[in-house]
Amino acid sequence: MKTPRELLLARHRAAEPKLDALRREVVAAELNNQATREQSFKVSLVTSLLCCSNKLWRELVWPCRRTWAALAAVWVVLALVHLAQRDGSPPALAQSAPTAGMILTFRDQQEILNELFADRSVPAEVVRPGIYAPKPRTETVALLAA
Amino acid sequence: MPEVADPEPLPVPLARAGDPAAWDALFRRYQLPLYVFVFELVRDESASLDLVQETFLAAVKHLGTLRDNAKFGSWLFGIAHQKCRQRWRQRTEVLFDEIPESAGEWEPGPDDLLIRREEEAGFMNLVAQLPPPQRAALLLHYVEEFSLEEIARITEAQLGTVKSRLHYAKRALRKLLEAKNENPA
């Protein structure tokens, strides 16, 4: 006497070797896929970086190579001039003392600035206008005439 | 049915992490029941092996969609059932769900069905003759002892429909066994 489960499993027990092989194949494929996925990520990262730099070179640098070369030469000249100046005496601006005219001008400027930013606040009671009281038009005209 | 009980928890979390040994253990646990289920539905050995392999590959690919690790078994059988349905539709154009099943209700109770040696062939023939939906429900019930809710989820059917299918399948099975007992010759 068998239960339906026992009977069903016993009927197909012969397929087990094939199922084992199939299972191993799937698991190996999964293992392989994982390794491939990890490797392919690294490869794709390097490839994309190389591709990007190559593209930059081809599309940005190479078509205007003369311009880039000229710019580079200018930068080299500028760097050389800068180095030559640094090797010599200290800068002329730091060396020269301010003249009397410059000092006078500076003082004038200072005074103007002081006037401009001086505190002009007036007491509130002086500024506040009186309460407006409407008057007949004739009185206003008389006041203006006087 | 002592074989159904799982003494150890399934290594689904390890499989999620991509551990090949965990996948091997999971597939070893389910390969034969899955094959029985698929074979009894499609009745073709090489097609069954192909479908089991496709099910395994789909499981590896889509494990992320499984929410509850404890339901790995029913999830796997669900994939296999879908594959069988696809094949069935391609081959015969008979729709799995369009067989009328209205009357009859599944009555939960002790399942003391035991099959004698002389009844084995009859039982297998009967299983083969059942309409695919009833066959699928019966196989899931017997092979993995899935609950009605799990069978409903696997076969993408309503709970009432599953109860009805099982009722018909078991009634047909009992009739066969009773007839054999009455006429042993």
Side-chain angles (χ1 to χ4, degrees):
Chain A
M1 300 278 262
K2 284 179 182 166
T3 62
R5 176 183 160 83
E6 286 165 351
L7 178 60
L8 285 163
L9 293 181
R11 279 265 164 163
H12 297 285
R13 196 73 69 184
E16 267 195 310
K18 286 177 189 170
L19 289 168
D20 286 335
L22 182 149
R23 186 191 74 238
R24 274 187 226 109
E25 204 178 304
V26 172
V27 172
E30 163 63 4
L31 190 68
N32 201 18
N33 275 353
Q34 267 190 345
T36 313
R37 256 179 269 146
E38 281 169 16
Q39 205 175 5
S40 69
F41 175 73
K42 286 175 191 166
V43 168
S44 67
L45 189 71
V46 172
T47 312
S48 60
L49 279 173
L50 281 173
C51 185
C52 192
S53 59
N54 194 22
K55 200 175 175 183
L56 271 175
W57 175 258
R58 272 189 290 111
E59 291 182 8
L60 195 68
V61 180
W62 191 246
C64 324
R65 54 190 179 278
R66 290 202 179 89
T67 315
W68 285 110
L71 272 173
V74 168
W75 277 106
V76 167
V77 169
L78 282 173
L80 286 172
V81 168
H82 178 71
L83 281 173
Q85 279 182 344
R86 211 168 58 173
D87 290 343
S89 54
L93 193 68
Q95 201 181 25
S96 62
T99 58
M102 277 173 77
I103 291 166
L104 277 174
T105 315
F106 179 74
R107 275 185 191 157
D108 287 347
Q109 297 279 340
Q110 193 74 38
E111 275 170 23
I112 291 165
L113 279 172
N114 285 344
E115 271 179 40
L116 277 172
F117 292 111
D119 189 14
R120 287 170 186 276
S121 59
V122 191
E125 55 269 18
V126 177
V127 175
R128 190 186 296 162
I131 299 162
Y132 176 72
K135 287 177 183 172
R137 190 167 168 274
T138 46
E139 282 180 30
T140 319
V141 172
L143 269 169
L144 285 171
Chain B
M1 295 182 200
E3 279 183 70
V4 179
D6 286 322
E8 291 174 20
L10 296 169
V12 182
L14 290 173
R16 279 188 198 275
D19 181 5
W23 277 115
D24 192 67
L26 283 173
F27 290 158
R28 198 181 313 125
R29 157 69 182 83
Y30 285 106
Q31 64 184 19
L32 189 58
L34 202 65
Y35 175 77
V36 170
F37 174 65
V38 171
F39 181 90
E40 292 301 334
L41 284 181
V42 301
R43 316 291 302 171
D44 179 333
E45 191 191 342
S46 70
S48 304
L49 288 167
D50 285 348
L51 288 172
V52 169
Q53 187 171 26
E54 282 176 29
T55 304
F56 284 173
L57 288 168
V60 172
K61 196 175 171 187
H62 301 291
L63 186 66
T65 61
L66 173 67
R67 282 183 229 150
D68 185 355
N69 289 350
K71 288 181 179 154
F72 179 82
S74 59
W75 177 75
L76 194 68
F77 273 79
I79 297 172
H81 186 254
Q82 270 185 350
K83 303 248 171 234
C84 291
R85 278 170 76 142
Q86 282 166 7
R87 186 188 153 80
W88 203 275
R89 283 182 174 145
Q90 282 166 5
R91 285 292 176 101
T92 62
E93 310 234 340
V94 171
L95 295 179
F96 248 51
D97 299 323
E98 290 182 359
I99 294 155
E101 297 154 295
S102 52
E105 272 287 297
W106 166 258
E107 289 152 15
D111 197 357
D112 52 357
L113 185 65
L114 287 169
I115 301 153
R116 288 183 211 151
R117 182 172 285 276
E118 60 270 23
E119 293 166 345
E120 286 179 7
F123 171 80
M124 295 308 295
N125 281 339
L126 182 85
V127 170
Q129 283 164 19
L130 285 171
Q134 291 179 19
R135 208 187 315 160
L138 195 76
L139 287 165
L140 291 167
H141 172 67
Y142 279 139
V143 174
E144 277 295 308
E145 274 195 340
F146 285 123
S147 67
L148 290 172
E149 288 78 11
E150 282 175 312
I151 296 173
R153 208 177 305 122
I154 292 167
T155 56
E156 293 172 1
Q158 297 289 320
L159 192 62
T161 311
V162 171
K163 285 180 183 175
S164 164
R165 284 173 184 172
L166 270 175
H167 170 80
Y168 273 107
K170 288 194 120 182
R171 195 175 63 180
L173 210 60
R174 283 193 190 282
K175 265 187 193 173
L176 174 100
L177 296 176
E178 281 165 13
K180 283 267 180 186
N181 288 340
E182 281 166 17
N183 308 313

